[in-house]
Amino acid sequence: MNLRLIGIGAGVLIILSLPLAGAIAGPDFAGQGDGKGGGLLSSLGLSGSSRTSDKERAAARPAKPGPPEQPRTDSRCGPELTSPHGLEAQTCVLASEGSTWGRSYYRNTSGRPLDAVLTVMGPAGRTVQIRCAVGAGDEPGLCETPKSASAGAVNGYSAVAEFAVPDDEGALLLRSGSNAPAPSGG
């Protein structure tokens, strides 16, 4: 064998093992003079004398980011209604973070575009009304009033959505309200 090649290999092996030897010996990190401040075993969490407890390590880990907490939304919805003209709707009053608004969910399978008027009535004669264009098609949609400052609990409000043909006659096809049917007692 070539002695020169063996000598070069041994030198490379010694050079590569020096960082490992230094890590095992445990250099004195952060000025700690007690001899427990580093080393390969403690950096891997395998030494018997650990400076930080499991609780401290868990507290030092950054918290996993999650989705922001959503505010609670209270709702009062009426029944899902279906008209013989191919229209389905449900109307609700919603309240969250001091605001109240109305929303009507619908599906228009009538084959023609319609108009919807959504009205929210609140305490002390407060009323908000919006007109929505309801496209023809099988896709669900919604009509929603702007949010306004609440003047009481959600049960003090009611909403009504009226769906009609957009022509001079304006034939009413469906009226959907947020009032749930009264429970039958008996």
Side-chain angles (χ1 to χ4, degrees), residues 107-170:
R107 181 177 304 225
N108 177 14
T109 60
S110 69
R112 58 185 171 184
L114 302 173
D115 280 340
V117 175
L118 176 60
T119 306
V120 177
M121 296 150 287
R126 297 171 59 143
T127 303
V128 176
Q129 189 175 70
I130 190 164
R131 181 177 298 274
C132 299
V134 177
D138 195 28
E139 292 299 314
L142 65 89
C143 180
E144 186 171 87
T145 66
K147 296 178 182 180
S148 60
S150 296
V154 71
N155 62 0
Y157 287 81
S158 63
V160 174
E162 297 176 314
F163 296 86
V165 177
D167 61 14
D168 291 338
E169 295 177 26

Side-chain angles (χ1 to χ4, degrees), residues 4-185:
R4 182 182 267 174
L5 188 58
I6 293 174
I8 292 174
V12 169
L13 184 61
I14 290 171
I15 292 172
L16 292 176
S17 63
L18 285 177
L20 182 60
I24 291 173
D28 190 14
F29 289 111
Q32 300 162 347
D34 60 3
K36 300 178 186 174
L40 180 61
L41 295 178
S42 64
S43 68
L44 295 174
L46 300 174
S47 74
S49 60
S50 177
R51 297 186 144 243
T52 56
S53 69
D54 289 338
K55 272 186 182 177
E56 292 170 327
R57 278 191 293 275
R61 283 187 212 122
K64 291 183 181 178
E69 190 173 315
Q70 297 295 317
R72 177 186 166 109
T73 300
D74 293 323
S75 64
R76 198 168 51 91
C77 298
E80 294 179 33
L81 300 176
T82 304
S83 80
H85 305 286
L87 184 64
E88 301 171 16
Q90 182 179 29
T91 301
C92 304
V93 173
L94 304 156
S96 178
E97 295 186 318
S99 294
T100 304
W101 68 101
R103 180 182 293 164
S104 186
Y105 303 95
Y106 62 82
R107 181 177 304 225
N108 177 14
T109 60
S110 69
R112 58 185 171 184
L114 302 173
D115 280 340
V117 175
L118 176 60
T119 306
V120 177
M121 296 150 287
R126 297 171 59 143
T127 303
V128 176
Q129 189 175 70
I130 190 164
R131 181 177 298 274
C132 299
V134 177
D138 195 28
E139 292 299 314
L142 65 89
C143 180
E144 186 171 87
T145 66
K147 296 178 182 180
S148 60
S150 296
V154 71
N155 62 0
Y157 287 81
S158 63
V160 174
E162 297 176 314
F163 296 86
V165 177
D167 61 14
D168 291 338
E169 295 177 26
L172 182 64
L173 301 180
L174 181 66
R175 179 178 287 136
S176 170
S178 63
N179 57 324
S184 59

